[in-house]
Amino acid sequence: MICDNLSVNGENHLTFAGRDVTELAKKYGTPLMLLDEGKIREKMSVYREAMQKYFTPDSMPLFASKALSFKYIYKIAKSENIGIDCVSAGEIFTAYKAGFPLENAYFHGNSKTDDEIRFAMERGVGHFVCDSIEEVSAVDDIAGEMGIKQKILLRITPGIDPHTHKKISTGSVDSKFGVAIETRQAHSLVESTLKLENVELTGFHCHIGSQIFEYDPFGDAARIMIGFIAEIKKLYGFEAAQLNLGGGMAVRYTEEDPEIDYAANIKDISEIVSSLCSEYGVAVPQILMEPGRSIVADAGMTLYTAGYLKEITGLKNYISIDGGMTDNPRFTLYQSPYTVLLANRMNEPCDYKCTVAGRCCESGDIIQEDVMMPKPNRYDIIAVLTTGAYNYAMASHYNKVPKPAVVMLKDGEDFVVIKRETFESMTANEVDFD
Ligand SMILES: *Cc1c(COP(=O)(O)O)cnc(C)c1O
């Protein structure tokens, strides 16, 4: 199967992290999101160990927490000794409530408000990743007001097209993120930042996109960024102490996707970094990377109960489920591929083609099109694999559907980390009128 935390037991039920998922669906109800803590920790430590081994020893992965943000995951990140990347005061607040040491947090985003900037500084967020000259001066002003010197990185667009989906590609010149090298706006941003008193520039950041399988685009980004660091050193005498290469390494969603050796990719990127640094005569910076998807995606699984089978003669079959775009909008947004299994009938031949359709009043509410599975019956358990990243994080209340429960699996135990929403909790902010 696509990940080593999947198997089938003697009852022909799918297992995940060694647990019978049909049993878990019965225990907690559906839709249900399962998370495999062992897999999350394994991925975090693969990044941490490879980065410390191949880059400088203080190099560190930052979990891009937008992929899946809730209190318990920040506790895992803390105990795995890695940093985090946050993109809103809400994520910072969640990490803060979990006791995460915010000096290891990097605050991203292209639209930070003054309130958010203050909120982050009051809680001691270590670094800001600034996206524009106006933001740098807002951060400088507020840091001045608060009497602190805020460490910042500048987000640079290296001008790379990583051949991924347009909506998740961010490295090219025409992007709402960062400042371009190509137009030399990046150079002038550095020049003006270095004149400010309340910010301390520590280095540069780039993020070229997401779900990128080959390491080449990362190598290209490193090449461009180190060239930029060298140019800046020559122009302004400033030598970057940190280079943040962003996130974006892919995960396997289907059997067709190749397997990815994250440590080998990191090693290859590190060779480019060290040879270029010596070629250009700059010190090897502390390297940061921001994996989100590749930390949590295959640590997640969503379970649904099958509803009604609609066979449209001569055209198509649809099986409905008790969730959909409210818990997983990624097919609707990006036509994302997923592996879908009939979890309680794993021994039966997959000889029936059907489209897995969500419950929302929206024709586009599809989880996956034309899946081969045993002909589904009502109450079968449908498992969608690799849903740890950008599923719960993107969940909505469309059609007033409550968000599912999230259950963590750890060493044979299972426990709720996010409660299933109730109608009451979902309407808690709504004012009552007589
Ligand atoms: C989305 C994002 C990430 C994480 O990307 P993944 O593909 O999930 O690894 C990291 N850094 C920045 C700036 C991002 O926008």
Side-chain angles (χ1 to χ4, degrees):
M1 287 209 251
I2 55 170
C3 189
D4 60 8
N5 55 3
L6 298 161
S7 189
V8 179
N9 67 14
E11 288 175 87
N12 300 310
H13 290 174
L14 178 66
T15 67
F16 184 56
R19 306 296 306 280
D20 184 323
V21 306
T22 306
E23 292 295 316
L24 291 164
K26 227 179 275 167
K27 176 171 176 182
Y28 291 101
T30 57
L32 179 68
M33 164 140 232
L34 299 176
L35 290 174
D36 172 2
E37 181 166 341
K39 181 55 76 180
I40 296 173
R41 288 184 180 274
E42 175 194 317
K43 291 293 198 60
M44 287 179 177
S45 62
V46 163
Y47 270 96
R48 188 193 59 239
E49 282 165 19
M51 289 184 69
Q52 290 175 354
K53 180 170 170 193
Y54 298 119
F55 296 123
T56 60
D58 62 347
S59 291
M60 182 164 66
L62 313 173
F63 170 55
S65 62
K66 70 176 184 202
L68 185 60
S69 171
F70 64 103
K71 288 177 192 164
Y72 189 78
I73 207 157
Y74 294 108
K75 284 194 181 296
I76 300 179
K78 179 184 174 188
S79 85
E80 289 294 331
N81 276 313
I82 70 168
I84 55 169
D85 138 5
C86 295
V87 288
S88 69
E91 286 180 0
I92 292 168
F93 175 78
T94 311
Y96 171 75
K97 289 298 254 187
F100 187 85
L102 290 176
E103 66 267 22
N104 293 332
Y106 286 68
F107 185 18
H108 272 278
N110 66 320
S111 192
K112 302 175 185 79
T113 66
D114 288 353
D115 285 347
E116 283 183 304
I117 293 169
R118 255 183 222 105
F119 184 93
M121 286 180 188
E122 279 163 4
R123 279 159 191 76
V125 166
H127 290 81
F128 280 51
V129 182
C130 295
D131 205 85
S132 65
I133 182 63
E134 278 188 295
E135 185 196 324
V136 172
S137 65
V139 170
D140 183 65
D141 287 347
I142 296 171
E145 251 169 52
M146 293 182 48
I148 61 164
K149 190 151 186 164
Q150 179 63 53
K151 290 194 175 100
I152 66 166
L153 286 83
L154 298 176
R155 179 162 179 168
I156 306 297
T157 28
I160 286 175
D161 177 3
H163 302 291
T164 184
H165 194 287
K166 187 163 178 286
K167 287 181 193 164
I168 53 175
S169 164
T170 52
S172 58
V173 175
D174 177 10
S175 169
K176 73 168 187 172
F177 298 108
V179 181
I181 295 176
E182 216 168 303
T183 61
R184 297 195 71 81
Q185 283 163 298
H187 304 71
S188 59
L189 175 59
V190 175
E191 187 178 12
S192 37
T193 300
L194 289 171
K195 291 182 185 137
L196 298 175
E197 285 189 358
N198 310 308
V199 293
E200 178 191 342
L201 183 62
T202 61
F204 303 112
H205 168 276
C206 69
H207 170 75
I208 53 176
S210 200
Q211 189 60 359
I212 302 166
F213 279 97
E214 324 92 86
Y215 91 91
D216 302 20
F218 297 104
D220 293 345
R223 209 168 274 129
I224 292 167
M225 294 301 289
I226 290 164
F228 179 71
I229 288 172
E231 218 183 328
I232 291 298
K233 184 183 174 187
K234 209 182 299 162
L235 282 172
Y236 311 117
F238 169 79
E239 194 159 8
Q242 294 185 306
L243 173 60
N244 184 331
L245 293 172
M249 283 202 206
V251 298
R252 291 187 86 194
Y253 283 99
T254 67
E255 298 282 352
E256 285 86 68
D257 289 336
E259 284 190 45
I260 300 148
D261 186 337
Y262 299 96
N265 280 351
I266 289 166
K267 180 166 186 276
D268 290 343
I269 298 165
S270 77
E271 280 160 10
I272 294 173
V273 168
S274 51
S275 78
L276 283 170
C277 283
S278 63
E279 187 183 319
Y280 285 121
V282 295
V284 178
Q286 177 195 21
I287 301 290
L288 304 166
M289 294 178 94
E290 298 169 330
R293 185 191 309 276
S294 53
I295 299 285
V296 287
D298 52 19
M301 174 187 288
T302 308
L303 302 176
Y304 303 102
T305 300
Y308 306 102
L309 186 63
K310 175 171 293 181
E311 299 185 298
I312 308 174
T313 308
L315 190 66
K316 205 166 170 172
N317 308 314
Y318 286 94
I319 181 69
S320 69
I321 54 172
D322 54 357
M325 65 187 286
T326 45
D327 60 82
N328 180 2
R330 292 189 67 255
F331 187 86
T332 309
L333 279 172
Y334 321 117
Q335 295 75 51
S336 302
Y338 278 103
T339 301
V340 182
L341 301 172
L342 211 52
N344 55 317
R345 294 163 55 198
M346 290 294 290
N347 55 323
E348 296 181 31
C350 294
D351 53 6
Y352 186 83
K353 193 196 271 188
C354 68
T355 287
V356 180
R359 54 167 302 153
C360 292
C361 282
E362 189 77 33
S363 295
D365 177 19
I366 299 289
I367 291 292
Q368 203 59 210
E369 231 159 15
D370 293 338
V371 177
M372 295 306 296
M373 61 167 79
K375 186 174 178 177
N377 299 318
R378 210 172 161 211
Y379 308 124
D380 276 335
I381 299 299
I382 292 183
V384 181
L385 311 186
T386 332
T387 56
Y390 307 113
N391 277 229
Y392 195 90
M394 288 183 162
S396 76
H397 287 146
Y398 183 50
N399 288 187
K400 219 74 171 188
V401 176
K403 293 186 194 174
V406 181
V407 166
M408 188 65 75
L409 307 177
K410 182 189 188 187
D411 303 331
E413 308 269 304
D414 50 277
F415 52 95
V416 174
V417 284
I418 308 178
K419 290 187 227 167
R420 183 179 300 287
E421 281 187 329
T422 62
F423 299 138
E424 286 297 338
S425 69
M426 199 172 38
T427 51
N429 287 338
E430 296 180 26
V431 176
D432 286 320
F433 294 96
D434 303 324

